[in-house]
Amino acid sequence: TACTGLVSNATNLAVLRLFIGFAGGTFVMCQYWTSRMFTKQVVGTANALVGGWGNLGGGVTQLVMGSALFPLFKEIFKNEPNPAEFAWRWVSI
């Protein structure tokens, strides 16, 4: 998702989503491996920790980007024709 701000047409978006899908597939495999590596008594806790840390990281990233970086970049690009568009693209890179 680091290249989202560089997308300018449908083909670029499709290619980007393909790579995001590959990265997302690793989450499923991680859950499977965690289920196989731990015993019945602790597998639920192990899966919750593995999945939870990934979700926490995504949530914190969204908070930081939306609350801090987007307004900052919007201010930086205030002299551009459309500062909001420049801001979200740069924040997404």
Side-chain angles (χ1 to χ4, degrees):
T1 59
C3 296
T4 303
L6 302 174
V7 171
S8 60
N9 60 43
T11 303
N12 291 348
L13 182 61
V15 170
L16 179 65
R17 294 299 303 163
L18 175 73
F19 287 110
I20 290 172
F22 285 138
T26 62
F27 173 79
V28 175
M29 292 309 299
C30 183
Q31 290 294 301
Y32 173 76
W33 290 328
T34 305
S35 298
R36 303 303 282 163
M37 291 171 50
F38 291 92
T39 64
K40 289 191 288 190
Q41 292 79 13
V42 296
V43 72
T45 303
N47 277 333
L49 285 171
V50 169
W53 280 114
N55 289 334
L56 176 68
V60 169
T61 300
Q62 290 296 320
L63 283 173
V64 169
M65 286 175 59
S67 301
L69 292 179
F70 181 72
L72 173 69
F73 277 74
K74 200 170 167 183
E75 185 63 28
I76 290 170
F77 292 114
K78 66 183 175 188
N79 295 328
E80 295 295 332
N82 190 351
E85 180 166 343
F86 277 91
W88 84 259
R89 287 183 180 275
W90 278 93
V91 166
S92 296
I93 295 174

